[in-house]
Amino acid sequence: MSSALSPQLDELVEALRRLPGVGAKTGQRMALHLLQRDRDGARRLAAALTRAADTVGECPECGLLTEQPRCGICASAERERSLLCLVESTADVAALEQATDYRGRYFVLGGHLSPLDGIGPEELGLDRLERRLDSGEISEIILATNPTVEGEATAHYVSEMAAARGVRTTRIAHGVPMGGALEQVDQGTLSHAFMGRRDYEG
Amino acid sequence: MSSALSPQLDELVEALRRLPGVGAKTGQRMALHLLQRDRDGARRLAAALTRAADTVGECPECGLLTEQPRCGICASAERERSLLCLVESTADVAALEQATDYRGRYFVLGGHLSPLDGIGPEELGLDRLERRLDSGEISEIILATNPTVEGEATAHYVSEMAAARGVRTTRIAHGVPMGGALEQVDQGTLSHAFMGRRDYEG
């Protein structure tokens, strides 16, 4: 959109481009849609953004995004304190909550170890995790970081921390996705699945 | 995102889903990105949305979105009054302004004739266009509606309106896109390009 047309529209397109996956074309399409056909949607989005930016913070126990003093999972008496699932982000918690009937708690790192970017154990709150392991209330820590180089390194770091305190450590399984065709799976996954084969139990 | 986690986050995801092309997964990714990594972007987007929704309206002459009493093109003394280009939306104007050095003015319909949806000539402001044709200031009207059934019907309707007043009517060319391979062009376009062939001028 040439800025000669409407500076306000340009500004809205620029602001929309801060959203992940939104470029110039998509931003323009979104801005025009809102202004031409859904002003109510524009105002509602503005209000939701302001409210969320003002009120949503991180749960001091697990790091999950929440507008409460503690997140719903940490505040719930029904979630076991002895099981802790380590994930990289709030989105991972949402995915696990939808897919599994896990009844333990989470620890949200908000990223993974990445020394080159200056992200070490402290930046991820791993000192906080260490104190929880020291307290003796955790019996199993489930490593659910992503199967990337950084995610694996983070899982390894935490597993050593847990081993030093005699806490059982498990890693979620990686391999050929259910329903996936072998021939369509990438080599790395297939190699991992082959090496990680288990005794067949019928 | 299970609503047990954060109602404010859910509400933000719902509001983002009003954007075209944004579903549950993308909306969640956008919301988490803004809250975890770009709160400043969230506030800036909220402000831009509110300002644009409050101030941007349609140019009373051409229908283009603008926050001025008249749009920059209609207000410019350098744009010829005798040339009028008919388009369906503000996005089309932006595309034409970027791609061409057209120095005339526009008429933005905000859609196309679609009797089944109750969109007739009045809803598109074609009565306003008729008065401009009556005034005698227009020497050529360039039909740049989309090459869809409705866009063609709209172009045809306006061409008859112009013909009745002796105004020259042209239609932008449709055919094989520049740089496109014949074998990859759809049948309708290829058939149109073949029937619309012209004498070769070297």
Side-chain angles (χ1 to χ4, degrees), chain A residues 1 5-8 11-12 14-16 18-20 22 28 30 32-36 38-46 49-56 64-65 67 73 90-91 94 98, chain B residues 1 5-8 11-12 14-16 18-20 22 28-30 32-36 38-46 49-56 65 67 73 90-91 94 98:
Chain A
M1 177 73 55
L5 297 188
S6 165
Q8 298 285 4
E11 205 179 303
L12 177 54
E14 278 310 304
L16 285 164
R18 301 268 288 251
L19 294 170
V22 176
Q28 191 189 91
M30 288 174 166
L32 291 174
H33 171 85
L34 290 174
L35 292 176
Q36 288 173 334
D38 193 12
R39 295 220 172 201
D40 177 53
R43 287 185 221 278
R44 193 178 145 197
L45 178 53
L49 283 163
T50 305
R51 244 193 330 267
D54 288 347
T55 63
V56 176
L64 201 63
L65 289 177
E67 63 265 29
I73 293 175
T90 292
Q98 272 165 27
Chain B
M1 178 71 55
L5 297 189
S6 165
Q8 298 285 5
E11 204 178 303
L12 177 54
E14 279 309 304
L16 284 163
R18 300 268 288 252
L19 295 169
V22 176
Q28 192 188 91
R29 194 160 54 93
M30 289 173 165
L32 290 175
H33 171 85
L34 290 174
L35 292 177
Q36 287 174 334
D38 193 12
R39 294 221 174 199
D40 176 53
R43 288 185 220 277
R44 192 177 148 198
L45 178 53
L49 283 163
T50 305
R51 245 192 330 267
D54 287 348
T55 63
V56 176
L65 289 178
E67 63 265 29
I73 293 174
T90 292
Q98 272 166 27

Coordinates of all heavy atoms in Angstrom, one line a residue, chain A residues 1 5-8 11-12 14-16 18-20 22 28 30 32-36 38-46 49-56 64-65 67 73 90-91 94 98, chain B residues 1 5-8 11-12 14-16 18-20 22 28-30 32-36 38-46 49-56 65 67 73 90-91 94 98:
Chain A
M1 N 0.9 -1.2 0.0 CA 0.0 0.0 0.0 C 0.9 1.2 0.0 O 1.6 1.4 0.9 CB -0.9 -0.1 1.3 CG -1.8 1.1 1.5 SD -3.2 1.2 0.3 CE -3.9 -0.4 0.6
L5 N -1.6 6.8 0.1 CA -3.1 6.5 0.2 C -3.6 6.7 1.6 O -4.5 7.5 1.8 CB -3.3 5.0 -0.2 CG -3.0 4.7 -1.7 CD1 -3.5 3.3 -2.0 CD2 -3.6 5.7 -2.6
S6 N -3.1 6.0 2.6 CA -3.6 6.2 4.0 C -2.5 5.8 5.0 O -2.3 4.7 5.2 CB -4.8 5.4 4.2 OG -5.1 5.3 5.5
P7 N -1.9 6.8 5.7 CA -0.9 6.5 6.7 C -1.4 5.7 7.8 O -0.7 4.8 8.3 CB -0.5 7.9 7.2 CG -0.8 8.9 6.1 CD -2.0 8.3 5.4
Q8 N -2.7 5.8 8.2 CA -3.2 5.0 9.3 C -3.3 3.6 8.9 O -3.0 2.6 9.7 CB -4.6 5.5 9.7 CG -4.7 6.9 10.2 CD -4.2 7.0 11.6 OE1 -3.7 6.0 12.2 NE2 -4.3 8.2 12.2
E11 N 0.2 2.1 8.9 CA 0.6 1.8 10.3 C 0.0 0.6 10.8 O 0.7 -0.2 11.4 CB 0.2 3.0 11.1 CG 1.1 3.2 12.4 CD 0.6 4.3 13.2 OE1 0.6 5.5 12.6 OE2 0.3 4.1 14.4
L12 N -1.3 0.3 10.4 CA -2.0 -0.9 10.9 C -1.3 -2.1 10.2 O -1.0 -3.1 10.8 CB -3.4 -0.8 10.5 CG -4.3 -2.1 10.8 CD1 -4.1 -2.5 12.3 CD2 -5.7 -1.8 10.5
E14 N 1.8 -2.3 9.2 CA 3.1 -2.5 9.8 C 3.0 -3.2 11.2 O 3.7 -4.1 11.5 CB 3.8 -1.2 10.0 CG 4.5 -0.6 8.8 CD 5.4 -1.7 8.2 OE1 6.3 -2.2 8.9 OE2 5.2 -2.0 7.0
A15 N 1.9 -2.8 11.9 CA 1.7 -3.4 13.2 C 1.3 -4.9 13.1 O 1.7 -5.8 13.9 CB 0.6 -2.7 14.0
L16 N 0.5 -5.2 12.1 CA 0.1 -6.6 11.8 C 1.3 -7.5 11.4 O 1.3 -8.7 11.7 CB -1.0 -6.7 10.8 CG -2.4 -6.2 11.2 CD1 -3.3 -5.9 10.0 CD2 -3.0 -7.3 12.1
R18 N 4.1 -7.5 12.7 CA 4.8 -8.1 13.8 C 4.3 -9.4 14.2 O 5.0 -10.1 15.0 CB 4.7 -7.1 15.0 CG 5.1 -5.7 14.8 CD 6.6 -5.5 15.2 NE 6.8 -5.5 16.7 CZ 7.1 -4.4 17.4 NH1 7.2 -3.2 16.8 NH2 7.3 -4.5 18.7
L19 N 3.2 -9.8 13.7 CA 2.6 -11.2 14.0 C 3.5 -12.2 13.2 O 3.8 -12.0 12.1 CB 1.2 -11.3 13.6 CG 0.2 -10.5 14.4 CD1 -1.2 -10.5 13.7 CD2 0.0 -11.0 15.8
P20 N 3.7 -13.4 13.9 CA 4.5 -14.4 13.2 C 3.8 -14.9 11.9 O 2.6 -15.1 11.9 CB 4.7 -15.5 14.2 CG 3.6 -15.3 15.2 CD 3.3 -13.8 15.2
V22 N 3.2 -13.2 9.2 CA 2.5 -12.2 8.4 C 3.4 -11.3 7.7 O 4.2 -10.6 8.3 CB 1.5 -11.4 9.4 CG1 0.9 -10.3 8.6 CG2 0.5 -12.3 10.0
Q28 N -1.7 -6.5 4.6 CA -2.6 -5.6 3.9 C -4.0 -6.3 3.8 O -5.0 -5.6 4.0 CB -2.1 -5.4 2.5 CG -2.8 -4.2 1.8 CD -2.4 -4.1 0.4 OE1 -2.9 -4.7 -0.5 NE2 -1.3 -3.4 0.1
M30 N -5.3 -8.5 5.8 CA -6.0 -8.4 7.1 C -6.5 -7.0 7.4 O -7.6 -6.9 7.9 CB -4.9 -8.8 8.2 CG -4.6 -10.3 8.1 SD -3.2 -10.6 9.3 CE -3.4 -12.5 9.4
L32 N -7.3 -4.5 5.4 CA -8.5 -4.2 4.6 C -9.7 -4.9 5.0 O -10.8 -4.4 5.0 CB -8.2 -4.4 3.1 CG -7.1 -3.5 2.5 CD1 -6.8 -3.9 1.1 CD2 -7.6 -2.0 2.5
H33 N -9.5 -6.2 5.3 CA -10.7 -7.0 5.8 C -11.3 -6.4 7.0 O -12.5 -6.2 7.1 CB -10.2 -8.4 6.1 CG -11.3 -9.2 6.8 ND1 -12.3 -9.9 6.1 CD2 -11.6 -9.5 8.1 CE1 -13.1 -10.5 7.0 NE2 -12.7 -10.2 8.2
L34 N -10.5 -6.0 8.0 CA -11.0 -5.4 9.3 C -11.7 -4.1 9.0 O -12.7 -3.8 9.5 CB -9.8 -5.2 10.3 CG -9.3 -6.5 10.9 CD1 -8.1 -6.2 11.7 CD2 -10.3 -7.3 11.7
L35 N -11.0 -3.2 8.2 CA -11.6 -1.9 8.0 C -12.8 -1.9 7.1 O -13.7 -1.1 7.2 CB -10.5 -1.0 7.4 CG -9.4 -0.7 8.4 CD1 -8.3 0.2 7.8 CD2 -10.0 0.0 9.7
Q36 N -12.8 -2.8 6.1 CA -13.9 -2.8 5.1 C -15.1 -3.6 5.6 O -16.2 -3.4 5.3 CB -13.5 -3.3 3.7 CG -12.6 -2.2 3.1 CD -12.0 -2.7 1.8 OE1 -11.8 -3.9 1.6 NE2 -11.7 -1.8 0.9
D38 N -15.1 -5.7 9.0 CA -15.2 -6.1 10.3 C -14.6 -5.2 11.3 O -13.7 -5.5 12.1 CB -14.6 -7.6 10.4 CG -15.0 -8.2 11.8 OD1 -15.9 -7.8 12.5 OD2 -14.4 -9.3 12.1
R39 N -15.1 -4.0 11.4 CA -14.6 -3.0 12.4 C -14.8 -3.4 13.8 O -14.0 -3.2 14.7 CB -15.3 -1.6 12.2 CG -15.0 -1.0 10.9 CD -14.8 0.4 10.9 NE -14.3 0.8 9.6 CZ -13.6 1.8 9.3 NH1 -13.3 2.7 10.2 NH2 -13.2 2.0 8.0
D40 N -15.9 -4.1 14.0 CA -16.2 -4.7 15.3 C -15.1 -5.6 15.7 O -14.6 -5.6 16.9 CB -17.6 -5.4 15.3 CG -17.9 -6.0 16.6 OD1 -17.9 -5.3 17.6 OD2 -18.2 -7.2 16.6
G41 N -14.7 -6.5 14.8 CA -13.6 -7.4 15.0 C -12.3 -6.7 15.3 O -11.5 -7.1 16.2
A42 N -12.1 -5.6 14.6 CA -10.8 -4.8 14.9 C -10.8 -4.2 16.3 O -9.8 -4.3 17.0 CB -10.8 -3.6 13.9
R43 N -12.0 -3.7 16.8 CA -12.1 -3.1 18.1 C -12.0 -4.3 19.2 O -11.3 -4.1 20.2 CB -13.4 -2.4 18.3 CG -13.4 -1.1 17.6 CD -14.7 -0.3 17.9 NE -15.2 0.3 16.7 CZ -14.8 1.5 16.2 NH1 -13.8 2.1 16.8 NH2 -15.3 2.0 15.1
R44 N -12.6 -5.4 18.9 CA -12.5 -6.5 19.8 C -11.1 -7.0 19.9 O -10.6 -7.3 21.0 CB -13.4 -7.6 19.3 CG -13.7 -8.7 20.4 CD -14.6 -9.8 19.9 NE -14.2 -11.0 20.5 CZ -14.6 -12.2 20.0 NH1 -15.4 -12.3 19.0 NH2 -14.2 -13.3 20.6
L45 N -10.4 -7.1 18.8 CA -9.0 -7.6 18.8 C -8.1 -6.6 19.6 O -7.3 -7.0 20.4 CB -8.5 -7.7 17.4 CG -7.0 -8.2 17.3 CD1 -6.7 -9.4 18.1 CD2 -6.7 -8.4 15.8
A46 N -8.4 -5.3 19.4 CA -7.6 -4.3 20.1 C -7.8 -4.4 21.6 O -6.8 -4.4 22.4 CB -8.0 -2.9 19.7
L49 N -6.1 -7.6 23.0 CA -4.6 -7.4 23.0 C -4.2 -6.6 24.2 O -3.3 -7.0 25.0 CB -4.1 -6.7 21.7 CG -4.1 -7.5 20.5 CD1 -4.0 -6.6 19.3 CD2 -2.8 -8.4 20.5
T50 N -4.9 -5.5 24.5 CA -4.5 -4.6 25.6 C -4.8 -5.4 26.9 O -3.9 -5.3 27.8 CB -5.4 -3.3 25.6 OG1 -5.3 -2.7 24.3 CG2 -5.0 -2.4 26.6
R51 N -5.9 -6.0 27.0 CA -6.2 -6.7 28.3 C -5.2 -7.8 28.5 O -4.6 -7.9 29.6 CB -7.6 -7.3 28.2 CG -8.6 -6.8 29.2 CD -9.8 -7.6 29.4 NE -10.3 -8.3 28.2 CZ -11.1 -7.8 27.3 NH1 -11.7 -6.6 27.5 NH2 -11.5 -8.5 26.3
A52 N -4.9 -8.6 27.5 CA -3.9 -9.7 27.7 C -2.5 -9.2 28.0 O -1.9 -9.7 28.9 CB -3.9 -10.6 26.4
A53 N -2.1 -8.1 27.3 CA -0.8 -7.6 27.5 C -0.7 -7.0 28.9 O 0.4 -7.1 29.6 CB -0.4 -6.5 26.5
D54 N -1.8 -6.5 29.5 CA -1.8 -5.9 30.8 C -1.9 -7.0 31.9 O -1.3 -6.8 33.0 CB -2.9 -4.9 31.0 CG -2.7 -3.7 30.2 OD1 -1.6 -3.4 29.7 OD2 -3.7 -2.9 30.0
T55 N -2.6 -8.0 31.7 CA -2.9 -8.9 32.8 C -2.2 -10.3 32.8 O -2.1 -10.9 33.8 CB -4.4 -9.2 32.9 OG1 -4.8 -9.9 31.7 CG2 -5.2 -7.9 33.0
V56 N -1.8 -10.8 31.6 CA -1.3 -12.1 31.5 C 0.2 -12.1 31.9 O 1.0 -11.4 31.3 CB -1.5 -12.8 30.2 CG1 -0.8 -14.2 30.1 CG2 -3.0 -12.9 29.9
L64 N 4.1 -21.1 33.2 CA 3.0 -21.1 32.2 C 2.3 -19.7 32.2 O 2.3 -19.0 33.2 CB 1.9 -22.1 32.7 CG 0.9 -22.7 31.7 CD1 1.6 -23.5 30.6 CD2 -0.1 -23.6 32.5
L65 N 1.8 -19.3 31.0 CA 1.2 -18.0 31.0 C -0.2 -18.1 31.7 O -0.9 -19.0 31.5 CB 0.9 -17.6 29.5 CG 2.2 -17.2 28.7 CD1 1.8 -16.8 27.3 CD2 2.8 -16.0 29.3
E67 N -3.2 -15.3 34.0 CA -3.6 -14.0 34.6 C -3.8 -14.2 36.1 O -4.2 -13.2 36.7 CB -4.7 -13.4 33.9 CG -6.0 -14.1 34.0 CD -6.3 -15.0 32.8 OE1 -5.3 -15.5 32.1 OE2 -7.4 -15.2 32.4
I73 N -3.1 -25.1 36.7 CA -2.5 -26.4 37.0 C -1.8 -26.5 38.3 O -2.0 -27.4 39.1 CB -1.6 -26.9 35.8 CG1 -2.5 -27.1 34.5 CG2 -0.8 -28.1 36.1 CD1 -1.7 -27.3 33.3
T90 N 4.5 -22.7 26.5 CA 3.1 -22.8 26.9 C 2.4 -23.6 25.8 O 1.4 -24.3 26.1 CB 2.5 -21.4 27.1 OG1 3.1 -20.8 28.2 CG2 1.1 -21.4 27.3
A91 N 2.7 -23.4 24.5 CA 2.0 -24.1 23.5 C 2.2 -25.6 23.6 O 1.2 -26.4 23.3 CB 2.6 -23.6 22.1
A94 N -0.3 -26.8 26.1 CA -1.6 -26.8 25.5 C -1.8 -28.1 24.7 O -2.8 -28.8 24.8 CB -1.9 -25.6 24.7
Q98 N -4.3 -31.3 25.6 CA -5.3 -31.8 24.7 C -5.2 -33.2 24.3 O -6.1 -34.0 24.2 CB -5.3 -30.9 23.5 CG -6.2 -29.7 23.6 CD -5.9 -28.7 22.5 OE1 -5.5 -29.0 21.4 NE2 -6.1 -27.4 22.8
Chain B
M1 N -5.8 -24.3 23.1 CA -5.5 -23.9 24.5 C -6.7 -24.2 25.3 O -7.8 -23.6 25.1 CB -5.1 -22.5 24.5 CG -4.8 -21.9 25.9 SD -3.3 -22.5 26.6 CE -2.2 -22.0 25.3
L5 N -6.5 -23.0 31.3 CA -5.2 -22.4 31.4 C -5.3 -20.9 31.6 O -4.8 -20.4 32.6 CB -4.3 -22.7 30.3 CG -4.0 -24.2 30.1 CD1 -2.9 -24.4 29.0 CD2 -3.6 -24.9 31.4
S6 N -5.9 -20.2 30.6 CA -5.9 -18.7 30.8 C -7.1 -18.2 29.9 O -6.9 -18.1 28.7 CB -4.6 -18.1 30.3 OG -4.8 -16.7 30.1
P7 N -8.2 -17.8 30.5 CA -9.3 -17.2 29.8 C -8.9 -16.0 28.9 O -9.4 -15.8 27.8 CB -10.3 -16.8 30.8 CG -9.9 -17.7 32.0 CD -8.5 -17.9 32.0
Q8 N -8.0 -15.1 29.4 CA -7.6 -14.0 28.6 C -6.8 -14.4 27.4 O -7.0 -13.8 26.3 CB -6.6 -13.1 29.5 CG -7.2 -12.5 30.7 CD -8.2 -11.4 30.5 OE1 -8.5 -11.1 29.3 NE2 -8.6 -10.8 31.5
E11 N -9.4 -15.6 24.9 CA -10.1 -14.5 24.3 C -9.3 -13.9 23.2 O -9.8 -13.5 22.2 CB -10.5 -13.5 25.4 CG -11.7 -12.7 25.1 CD -12.0 -11.7 26.2 OE1 -12.2 -12.2 27.3 OE2 -12.0 -10.5 25.9
L12 N -8.0 -13.7 23.5 CA -7.1 -13.2 22.5 C -7.0 -14.1 21.2 O -7.1 -13.6 20.1 CB -5.7 -12.9 23.1 CG -4.6 -12.4 22.1 CD1 -5.1 -11.1 21.5 CD2 -3.3 -12.2 22.9
E14 N -9.3 -16.1 20.2 CA -10.6 -16.0 19.5 C -10.7 -14.7 18.7 O -11.1 -14.7 17.6 CB -11.8 -16.0 20.5 CG -12.2 -17.4 21.0 CD -12.4 -18.3 19.8 OE1 -13.2 -18.0 18.9 OE2 -11.8 -19.4 19.8
A15 N -10.2 -13.6 19.3 CA -10.2 -12.3 18.5 C -9.3 -12.4 17.3 O -9.6 -11.8 16.3 CB -9.8 -11.2 19.5
L16 N -8.1 -13.1 17.5 CA -7.2 -13.2 16.3 C -7.8 -14.0 15.2 O -7.5 -13.8 14.0 CB -5.9 -13.8 16.8 CG -4.9 -12.8 17.6 CD1 -3.9 -13.6 18.3 CD2 -4.3 -11.8 16.6
R18 N -10.6 -13.8 14.0 CA -11.4 -13.0 13.1 C -10.6 -12.5 11.9 O -11.2 -12.1 10.9 CB -12.0 -11.8 13.9 CG -12.9 -12.1 15.1 CD -14.4 -12.2 14.7 NE -15.0 -11.0 14.5 CZ -15.9 -10.4 15.3 NH1 -16.1 -10.9 16.4 NH2 -16.5 -9.3 14.9
L19 N -9.3 -12.6 12.0 CA -8.5 -12.2 10.9 C -8.6 -13.3 9.8 O -8.6 -14.4 10.1 CB -7.0 -12.1 11.3 CG -6.7 -11.0 12.3 CD1 -5.3 -11.1 12.8 CD2 -6.8 -9.6 11.6
P20 N -8.6 -12.8 8.5 CA -8.7 -13.8 7.4 C -7.5 -14.7 7.4 O -6.4 -14.3 7.6 CB -8.8 -12.9 6.2 CG -8.2 -11.6 6.6 CD -8.5 -11.4 8.0
V22 N -6.7 -17.0 9.6 CA -6.1 -17.4 10.9 C -7.1 -18.4 11.5 O -8.2 -18.0 11.8 CB -5.9 -16.2 11.8 CG1 -5.5 -16.6 13.2 CG2 -4.9 -15.2 11.1
Q28 N -3.3 -19.3 18.1 CA -2.6 -19.6 19.4 C -1.1 -19.2 19.3 O -0.5 -18.6 20.2 CB -2.7 -21.1 19.7 CG -2.2 -21.4 21.1 CD -2.2 -22.9 21.2 OE1 -1.2 -23.5 21.0 NE2 -3.3 -23.5 21.6
R29 N -0.5 -19.5 18.1 CA 0.9 -19.2 17.9 C 1.1 -17.7 17.9 O 2.1 -17.2 18.5 CB 1.4 -19.8 16.5 CG 2.8 -19.8 16.3 CD 3.2 -20.8 15.2 NE 2.5 -20.5 14.0 CZ 3.0 -19.7 13.0 NH1 4.2 -19.2 13.1 NH2 2.3 -19.5 11.9
M30 N 0.2 -16.9 17.3 CA 0.3 -15.5 17.3 C 0.2 -14.9 18.7 O 1.0 -14.1 19.2 CB -0.8 -14.8 16.4 CG -0.6 -15.1 15.0 SD -2.0 -14.5 14.0 CE -1.3 -14.4 12.4
L32 N 0.7 -16.4 21.7 CA 1.8 -16.8 22.5 C 3.0 -16.0 22.1 O 3.8 -15.5 23.0 CB 2.1 -18.3 22.4 CG 1.1 -19.2 23.0 CD1 1.4 -20.6 22.8 CD2 1.0 -18.9 24.5
H33 N 3.2 -15.8 20.8 CA 4.4 -14.9 20.4 C 4.3 -13.5 21.0 O 5.2 -13.0 21.6 CB 4.4 -14.8 18.9 CG 5.4 -13.9 18.3 ND1 6.7 -14.2 18.2 CD2 5.3 -12.5 18.0 CE1 7.4 -13.1 17.7 NE2 6.5 -12.1 17.6
L34 N 3.1 -12.9 20.9 CA 2.9 -11.6 21.4 C 3.2 -11.5 22.9 O 3.8 -10.6 23.4 CB 1.6 -11.0 21.0 CG 1.3 -10.7 19.6 CD1 -0.1 -10.3 19.3 CD2 2.2 -9.6 19.1
L35 N 2.6 -12.5 23.6 CA 2.7 -12.4 25.1 C 4.0 -12.8 25.6 O 4.5 -12.3 26.6 CB 1.5 -13.3 25.7 CG 0.1 -12.7 25.5 CD1 -0.9 -13.6 26.0 CD2 0.0 -11.3 26.1
Q36 N 4.7 -13.8 24.9 CA 5.9 -14.3 25.5 C 7.1 -13.4 25.0 O 8.1 -13.3 25.7 CB 6.1 -15.7 25.1 CG 5.2 -16.7 25.9 CD 5.3 -18.1 25.4 OE1 5.6 -18.4 24.2 NE2 5.0 -19.0 26.3
D38 N 6.8 -10.4 22.5 CA 6.6 -9.0 21.9 C 5.4 -8.3 22.5 O 4.4 -8.0 21.7 CB 6.5 -9.2 20.4 CG 6.6 -7.9 19.7 OD1 7.0 -6.9 20.3 OD2 6.4 -7.9 18.5
R39 N 5.4 -8.0 23.8 CA 4.3 -7.3 24.4 C 4.1 -5.9 23.8 O 3.1 -5.3 23.6 CB 4.5 -7.1 25.9 CG 4.4 -8.5 26.5 CD 3.6 -8.5 27.8 NE 3.5 -9.9 28.2 CZ 2.7 -10.4 29.0 NH1 1.8 -9.6 29.6 NH2 2.7 -11.6 29.3
D40 N 5.3 -5.3 23.5 CA 5.3 -4.0 22.8 C 4.6 -4.1 21.5 O 3.8 -3.2 21.2 CB 6.8 -3.6 22.6 CG 6.9 -2.3 21.9 OD1 6.2 -1.3 22.4 OD2 7.6 -2.2 20.9
G41 N 4.8 -5.1 20.7 CA 4.1 -5.3 19.5 C 2.6 -5.5 19.7 O 1.8 -5.0 18.9
A42 N 2.2 -6.1 20.8 CA 0.8 -6.3 21.1 C 0.1 -5.0 21.4 O -1.0 -4.7 20.8 CB 0.6 -7.2 22.3
R43 N 0.8 -4.1 22.2 CA 0.2 -2.8 22.5 C 0.2 -1.9 21.2 O -0.8 -1.2 21.0 CB 1.0 -2.2 23.6 CG 0.8 -2.8 24.9 CD 1.6 -2.0 26.0 NE 2.2 -3.0 27.0 CZ 1.6 -3.5 28.0 NH1 0.3 -3.2 28.2 NH2 2.2 -4.3 28.8
R44 N 1.2 -2.0 20.4 CA 1.3 -1.2 19.2 C 0.2 -1.6 18.2 O -0.5 -0.8 17.7 CB 2.6 -1.4 18.5 CG 2.9 -0.4 17.5 CD 4.3 -0.5 16.8 NE 4.2 -0.1 15.4 CZ 5.1 -0.4 14.5 NH1 6.1 -1.1 14.8 NH2 4.9 -0.1 13.3
L45 N -0.1 -2.9 18.1 CA -1.1 -3.4 17.3 C -2.5 -3.0 17.8 O -3.4 -2.5 17.0 CB -1.1 -4.9 17.2 CG -2.2 -5.6 16.3 CD1 -2.2 -5.0 14.9 CD2 -1.9 -7.1 16.2
A46 N -2.7 -3.0 19.1 CA -4.0 -2.6 19.7 C -4.2 -1.1 19.4 O -5.3 -0.7 19.0 CB -4.0 -2.8 21.2
L49 N -5.0 -0.6 15.6 CA -6.4 -1.1 15.3 C -7.4 -0.1 15.7 O -8.3 0.3 15.0 CB -6.6 -2.4 16.0 CG -6.0 -3.7 15.4 CD1 -6.0 -4.8 16.5 CD2 -6.7 -4.1 14.2
T50 N -7.3 0.4 17.0 CA -8.2 1.4 17.5 C -8.2 2.7 16.7 O -9.3 3.2 16.2 CB -7.9 1.7 19.0 OG1 -7.9 0.5 19.7 CG2 -9.0 2.6 19.5
R51 N -7.0 3.2 16.4 CA -6.9 4.4 15.6 C -7.5 4.3 14.2 O -8.2 5.1 13.8 CB -5.4 4.9 15.5 CG -5.1 6.2 16.2 CD -3.8 6.7 15.9 NE -2.8 5.8 15.5 CZ -1.9 5.2 16.4 NH1 -1.9 5.6 17.7 NH2 -1.0 4.4 16.0
A52 N -7.1 3.2 13.6 CA -7.6 3.0 12.2 C -9.1 2.8 12.2 O -9.8 3.4 11.4 CB -6.9 1.8 11.6
A53 N -9.7 2.0 13.1 CA -11.1 1.7 13.2 C -11.9 3.1 13.4 O -13.0 3.3 12.9 CB -11.5 0.7 14.2
D54 N -11.3 4.0 14.2 CA -11.9 5.2 14.5 C -11.8 6.3 13.4 O -12.7 7.1 13.2 CB -11.3 5.8 15.8 CG -11.7 5.1 17.1 OD1 -12.6 4.3 17.0 OD2 -11.1 5.3 18.1
T55 N -10.7 6.2 12.7 CA -10.4 7.4 11.8 C -10.6 7.1 10.3 O -10.8 8.0 9.5 CB -9.0 8.0 12.0 OG1 -8.1 7.0 11.7 CG2 -8.8 8.4 13.4
V56 N -10.3 5.8 9.9 CA -10.3 5.5 8.5 C -11.7 5.3 7.9 O -12.5 4.5 8.5 CB -9.5 4.3 8.2 CG1 -9.5 4.0 6.7 CG2 -8.0 4.6 8.6
L65 N -10.3 3.7 0.9 CA -10.1 3.9 2.3 C -9.2 5.1 2.6 O -8.1 5.1 2.0 CB -9.6 2.7 3.0 CG -10.6 1.5 3.1 CD1 -9.9 0.3 3.8 CD2 -11.8 1.9 3.9
E67 N -8.2 8.4 5.8 CA -8.6 9.1 7.0 C -8.8 10.6 6.8 O -9.0 11.4 7.7 CB -7.5 8.9 8.1 CG -6.2 9.4 7.8 CD -5.3 8.3 7.3 OE1 -5.8 7.4 6.6 OE2 -4.0 8.4 7.5
I73 N -5.6 10.6 -3.8 CA -5.6 10.6 -5.3 C -6.7 11.6 -5.8 O -6.4 12.3 -6.7 CB -5.9 9.1 -5.8 CG1 -4.7 8.2 -5.5 CG2 -6.2 9.1 -7.3 CD1 -4.9 6.8 -5.8
T90 N -10.0 -1.6 -2.5 CA -8.8 -0.7 -2.2 C -7.5 -1.5 -2.4 O -6.5 -0.9 -2.9 CB -8.9 -0.3 -0.7 OG1 -10.0 0.6 -0.5 CG2 -7.6 0.4 -0.3
A91 N -7.5 -2.8 -2.2 CA -6.3 -3.6 -2.4 C -5.9 -3.6 -3.9 O -4.8 -3.5 -4.3 CB -6.5 -5.0 -2.0
A94 N -4.1 -0.4 -4.6 CA -2.7 -0.5 -4.1 C -1.9 -1.2 -5.1 O -0.8 -0.8 -5.5 CB -2.7 -1.2 -2.8
Q98 N 1.2 0.4 -7.4 CA 2.6 -0.1 -7.4 C 3.1 -0.6 -8.7 O 4.3 -0.4 -9.0 CB 2.6 -1.3 -6.4 CG 2.9 -0.8 -4.9 CD 2.6 -1.9 -3.9 OE1 2.7 -3.1 -4.2 NE2 2.3 -1.5 -2.7

